Tab-separated table of all heavy atoms in Angstrom:
chain	number	residue	atom	x	y	z
V	88	ALA	N	-4.631	-3.064	25.015
V	88	ALA	CA	-4.353	-3.414	23.625
V	88	ALA	C	-4.379	-4.919	23.398
V	88	ALA	O	-4.785	-5.391	22.326
V	88	ALA	CB	-3.000	-2.844	23.198
V	89	GLY	N	-3.961	-5.701	24.402
V	89	GLY	CA	-3.975	-7.159	24.255
V	89	GLY	C	-5.350	-7.720	23.971
V	89	GLY	O	-5.509	-8.555	23.069
V	90	PRO	N	-6.385	-7.288	24.709
V	90	PRO	CA	-7.733	-7.773	24.393
V	90	PRO	C	-8.184	-7.458	22.967
V	90	PRO	O	-8.998	-8.196	22.402
V	90	PRO	CB	-8.607	-7.047	25.427
V	90	PRO	CG	-7.705	-6.869	26.596
V	90	PRO	CD	-6.357	-6.567	25.995
V	91	VAL	N	-7.667	-6.381	22.382
V	91	VAL	CA	-7.989	-6.086	20.978
V	91	VAL	C	-7.487	-7.218	20.089
V	91	VAL	O	-8.194	-7.688	19.185
V	91	VAL	CB	-7.359	-4.744	20.537
V	91	VAL	CG1	-7.522	-4.543	19.031
V	91	VAL	CG2	-7.993	-3.585	21.304
V	92	VAL	N	-6.271	-7.679	20.357
V	92	VAL	CA	-5.689	-8.769	19.569
V	92	VAL	C	-6.508	-10.045	19.740
V	92	VAL	O	-6.804	-10.755	18.770
V	92	VAL	CB	-4.222	-9.006	19.984
V	92	VAL	CG1	-3.639	-10.203	19.236
V	92	VAL	CG2	-3.391	-7.752	19.742
V	93	VAL	N	-6.890	-10.342	20.981
V	93	VAL	CA	-7.695	-11.546	21.238
V	93	VAL	C	-9.046	-11.446	20.546
V	93	VAL	O	-9.500	-12.391	19.887
V	93	VAL	CB	-7.877	-11.752	22.758
V	93	VAL	CG1	-8.824	-12.928	23.019
V	93	VAL	CG2	-6.538	-12.002	23.435
V	94	GLY	N	-9.707	-10.291	20.682
V	94	GLY	CA	-11.002	-10.103	20.043
V	94	GLY	C	-10.922	-10.239	18.532
V	94	GLY	O	-11.786	-10.864	17.900
V	95	ALA	N	-9.873	-9.662	17.932
V	95	ALA	CA	-9.701	-9.744	16.482
V	95	ALA	C	-9.438	-11.177	16.041
V	95	ALA	O	-9.965	-11.640	15.016
V	95	ALA	CB	-8.553	-8.833	16.040
V	96	THR	N	-8.639	-11.897	16.815
V	96	THR	CA	-8.280	-13.270	16.450
V	96	THR	C	-9.511	-14.174	16.380
V	96	THR	O	-9.665	-14.969	15.442
V	96	THR	CB	-7.280	-13.836	17.472
V	96	THR	OG1	-6.095	-13.039	17.460
V	96	THR	CG2	-6.931	-15.285	17.156
V	97	TYR	N	-10.409	-14.025	17.350
V	97	TYR	CA	-11.571	-14.922	17.398
V	97	TYR	C	-12.745	-14.425	16.549
V	97	TYR	O	-13.679	-15.185	16.294
V	97	TYR	CB	-11.991	-15.148	18.851
V	97	TYR	CG	-11.034	-16.099	19.538
V	97	TYR	CD1	-9.918	-15.620	20.207
V	97	TYR	CD2	-11.231	-17.471	19.469
V	97	TYR	CE1	-9.013	-16.498	20.798
V	97	TYR	CE2	-10.339	-18.349	20.056
V	97	TYR	CZ	-9.221	-17.857	20.718
V	97	TYR	OH	-8.324	-18.730	21.292
V	98	ALA	N	-12.663	-13.176	16.085
V	98	ALA	CA	-13.701	-12.679	15.183
V	98	ALA	C	-13.321	-12.867	13.727
V	98	ALA	O	-14.182	-12.953	12.854
V	98	ALA	CB	-13.967	-11.199	15.451
V	99	ALA	N	-12.014	-12.931	13.449
V	99	ALA	CA	-11.526	-12.986	12.071
V	99	ALA	C	-11.891	-14.316	11.417
V	99	ALA	O	-11.812	-15.375	12.046
V	99	ALA	CB	-10.023	-12.781	12.039
V	100	SER	N	-12.260	-14.236	10.174
V	100	SER	CA	-12.520	-15.456	9.409
V	100	SER	C	-11.339	-15.812	8.515
V	100	SER	O	-11.168	-16.974	8.131
V	100	SER	CB	-13.792	-15.288	8.563
V	100	SER	OG	-13.745	-14.108	7.807
V	101	VAL	N	-10.512	-14.811	8.174
V	101	VAL	CA	-9.296	-15.030	7.391
V	101	VAL	C	-8.192	-14.178	8.006
V	101	VAL	O	-8.473	-13.158	8.659
V	101	VAL	CB	-9.487	-14.646	5.901
V	101	VAL	CG1	-10.485	-15.576	5.226
V	101	VAL	CG2	-9.927	-13.199	5.761
V	102	PRO	N	-6.922	-14.556	7.834
V	102	PRO	CA	-5.829	-13.794	8.438
V	102	PRO	C	-5.825	-12.306	8.069
V	102	PRO	O	-5.415	-11.470	8.884
V	102	PRO	CB	-4.576	-14.499	7.911
V	102	PRO	CG	-5.016	-15.907	7.676
V	102	PRO	CD	-6.436	-15.799	7.192
V	103	ALA	N	-6.289	-11.978	6.864
V	103	ALA	CA	-6.285	-10.579	6.440
V	103	ALA	C	-7.132	-9.701	7.360
V	103	ALA	O	-6.881	-8.497	7.484
V	103	ALA	CB	-6.781	-10.467	5.000
V	104	ASP	N	-8.143	-10.289	8.014
V	104	ASP	CA	-8.986	-9.505	8.927
V	104	ASP	C	-8.179	-8.931	10.087
V	104	ASP	O	-8.534	-7.896	10.654
V	104	ASP	CB	-10.109	-10.381	9.497
V	104	ASP	CG	-11.144	-10.752	8.448
V	104	ASP	OD1	-11.224	-10.056	7.414
V	104	ASP	OD2	-11.874	-11.741	8.669
V	105	LEU	N	-7.093	-9.618	10.460
V	105	LEU	CA	-6.294	-9.179	11.600
V	105	LEU	C	-5.559	-7.874	11.328
V	105	LEU	O	-5.192	-7.161	12.269
V	105	LEU	CB	-5.279	-10.267	11.984
V	105	LEU	CG	-5.868	-11.609	12.410
V	105	LEU	CD1	-4.769	-12.637	12.585
V	105	LEU	CD2	-6.660	-11.448	13.700
V	106	ILE	N	-5.317	-7.584	10.059
V	106	ILE	CA	-4.625	-6.340	9.719
V	106	ILE	C	-5.534	-5.409	8.899
V	106	ILE	O	-5.056	-4.572	8.144
V	106	ILE	CB	-3.310	-6.618	8.947
V	106	ILE	CG1	-3.557	-7.494	7.709
V	106	ILE	CG2	-2.285	-7.268	9.867
V	106	ILE	CD1	-2.333	-7.648	6.815
V	107	SER	N	-6.828	-5.587	9.086
V	107	SER	CA	-7.770	-4.669	8.447
V	107	SER	C	-7.605	-3.289	9.065
V	107	SER	O	-7.137	-3.153	10.209
V	107	SER	CB	-9.202	-5.161	8.642
V	107	SER	OG	-9.550	-5.131	10.019
V	108	PRO	N	-7.954	-2.218	8.339
V	108	PRO	CA	-7.791	-0.865	8.882
V	108	PRO	C	-8.471	-0.665	10.233
V	108	PRO	O	-7.915	-0.030	11.127
V	108	PRO	CB	-8.417	0.019	7.792
V	108	PRO	CG	-8.245	-0.760	6.533
V	108	PRO	CD	-8.404	-2.196	6.931
V	109	VAL	N	-9.677	-1.233	10.396
V	109	VAL	CA	-10.398	-1.055	11.661
V	109	VAL	C	-9.668	-1.751	12.796
V	109	VAL	O	-9.527	-1.191	13.894
V	109	VAL	CB	-11.827	-1.593	11.503
V	109	VAL	CG1	-12.340	-2.277	12.717
V	109	VAL	CG2	-12.779	-0.474	11.195
V	110	ALA	N	-9.174	-2.975	12.581
V	110	ALA	CA	-8.458	-3.706	13.625
V	110	ALA	C	-7.178	-2.984	14.017
V	110	ALA	O	-6.863	-2.851	15.207
V	110	ALA	CB	-8.145	-5.125	13.151
V	111	LEU	N	-6.441	-2.488	13.026
V	111	LEU	CA	-5.200	-1.775	13.324
V	111	LEU	C	-5.465	-0.458	14.041
V	111	LEU	O	-4.724	-0.071	14.954
V	111	LEU	CB	-4.419	-1.521	12.024
V	111	LEU	CG	-3.860	-2.766	11.331
V	111	LEU	CD1	-3.177	-2.382	10.026
V	111	LEU	CD2	-2.884	-3.510	12.242
V	112	ALA	N	-6.519	0.244	13.635
V	112	ALA	CA	-6.858	1.508	14.282
V	112	ALA	C	-7.269	1.292	15.739
V	112	ALA	O	-6.884	2.056	16.632
V	112	ALA	CB	-7.973	2.214	13.512
V	113	LEU	N	-8.047	0.246	15.998
V	113	LEU	CA	-8.446	-0.057	17.370
V	113	LEU	C	-7.229	-0.438	18.217
V	113	LEU	O	-7.108	-0.015	19.374
V	113	LEU	CB	-9.479	-1.181	17.388
V	113	LEU	CG	-10.888	-0.779	16.940
V	113	LEU	CD1	-11.761	-2.024	16.749
V	113	LEU	CD2	-11.543	0.171	17.947
V	114	PHE	N	-6.336	-1.236	17.647
V	114	PHE	CA	-5.135	-1.604	18.389
V	114	PHE	C	-4.313	-0.363	18.732
V	114	PHE	O	-3.855	-0.205	19.873
V	114	PHE	CB	-4.281	-2.580	17.578
V	114	PHE	CG	-3.019	-2.992	18.284
V	114	PHE	CD1	-3.048	-3.984	19.253
V	114	PHE	CD2	-1.809	-2.378	17.989
V	114	PHE	CE1	-1.884	-4.364	19.916
V	114	PHE	CE2	-0.647	-2.750	18.649
V	114	PHE	CZ	-0.682	-3.744	19.611
């Protein structure tokens, strides 16, 4: 699960991307 957070952090362009449905579902 940790790599999901890292991947989301460096792919996101705005903070809202971190809590997008796809990011949360993958986590």
Side-chain angles (χ1 to χ4, degrees):
V91 172
V92 176
V93 175
T96 299
Y97 284 91
S100 51
V101 294
D104 290 340
L105 299 173
I106 54 172
S107 65
V109 143
L111 293 177
L113 285 169
F114 180 81

